[in-house]
Amino acid sequence: MTSQSQYQEAKICLLGDMGVGKSSLVGRFVHDKFDTSLTTTLGASFMSKTVSINDKTYRFQIWDTAGQERYRSLLPMYYRNAAAAIVVYDITNQATFNVLRDWIRELQKLGPPNIVLAIAGNKSDLTENREISTEEGKGFAEEIGAVFSETSALTATNVAELFVEIGKRLPTEAPPTLRTSQASHTVTLNKTSKGGHSCCSQN
Ligand code: GDP
């Protein structure tokens, strides 16, 4: 890519409780790596990845958020101008599924209109510990008109596919405000060191 006009920018934010695997999903998608040494995300960071879907090229700006309740007041900043939100739960942890409704309600109330919603049931490799059936996850996603996928950041199952599905649902033009929001590059809140998983890598 040599000029910005050749691709469409789209901000995608990941929401969901702490420990569901948001950072791991971003790491898998952006770097195709699963880093078990990741420490808990504090604040938020974003990474960029350029993806071609059908005849279009997208530059996804992927924002990873903190699941901690005490940071919730900061969340509107993360999903502001987002073209899509991936709300993640852990298929082995019922509590992380139960809170999905709260995340969705908040997004629908305070998020951008027409935001593309996706529900990701992560850790699908841990089948023996499953607490939420595929049907239950899918049913909820259908109810709210969201993309649904069961993913594994560990094995890479359905991770790229999820982002491609989201890309297919994006409107053809990004909101104009996104193009002028490069100041968000400076927003890094109390980010802990996560080894190679640092804020704002570009590729
Ligand atoms: P976050 O707090 O939502 O960002 O979650 P992390 O990405 O930090 O992951 C929390 C824990 O779950 C870490 O120990 C990860 O190694 C683990 N984890 C994340 N994704 C998967 C997955 O797909 N499968 C398995 N088995 N473990 C995962």
Side-chain angles (χ1 to χ4, degrees):
M1 287 300 106
T2 51
S3 94
Q4 195 164 0
S5 61
Q6 288 178 281
Y7 54 76
Q8 179 175 328
E9 297 240 22
K11 176 177 174 181
I12 301 178
C13 63
L14 278 89
L15 300 169
D17 274 3
M18 184 173 58
V20 295
K22 298 180 296 298
S23 302
S24 302
L25 284 169
V26 177
R28 171 59 74 191
F29 179 61
V30 175
H31 300 302
D32 199 17
K33 281 197 182 123
F34 182 78
D35 186 351
T36 51
S37 69
L38 297 183
T39 56
T40 302
T41 309
L42 291 175
S45 61
F46 72 82
M47 296 192 202
S48 295
K49 184 167 170 102
T50 304
V51 186
S52 291
I53 302 169
N54 299 331
D55 291 338
K56 284 204 67 132
T57 303
Y58 295 88
R59 188 167 180 86
F60 288 155
Q61 192 186 86
I62 305 161
W63 285 66
D64 180 13
T65 60
Q68 295 99 319
E69 193 62 39
R70 67 200 147 115
Y71 287 105
R72 253 182 115 138
S73 59
L74 297 175
L75 291 178
M77 186 173 72
Y78 304 143
Y79 53 70
R80 201 185 58 186
N81 294 333
I86 305 174
V87 190
V88 186
Y89 67 95
D90 171 351
I91 67 146
T92 72
N93 183 336
Q94 182 74 48
T96 67
F97 183 73
N98 295 345
V99 298
L100 285 186
R101 270 183 207 284
D102 294 337
W103 293 106
I104 296 297
R105 209 175 290 130
E106 175 166 346
L107 276 170
Q108 288 174 334
K109 204 167 132 206
L110 302 171
N114 306 323
I115 189 168
V116 172
L117 295 175
I119 301 292
N122 191 42
K123 307 194 188 181
S124 63
D125 55 287
L126 298 176
T127 42
E128 285 181 6
N129 302 323
R130 180 188 280 277
E131 289 187 359
I132 300 103
S133 70
T134 304
E135 292 66 35
E136 213 181 333
K138 204 186 230 168
F140 175 69
E142 275 172 11
E143 210 183 290
I144 60 164
V147 172
F148 175 72
S149 194
E150 283 193 340
T151 56
S152 170
L154 176 66
T155 65
T157 307
N158 286 340
V159 178
E161 290 84 348
L162 172 63
F163 283 88
V164 169
E165 266 322 298
I166 289 169
K168 286 182 187 165
R169 289 213 193 180
L170 292 175
T172 41
E173 279 304 318
T177 43
L178 189 61
R179 296 224 170 83
T180 57
S181 68
Q182 297 307 311
S184 57
H185 281 270
T186 59
V187 179
T188 308
L189 295 158
N190 306 321
K191 189 74 177 62
T192 52
S193 164
K194 297 186 95 172
H197 182 80
S198 59
C199 175
C200 315
S201 82
Q202 307 278 332
N203 65 0

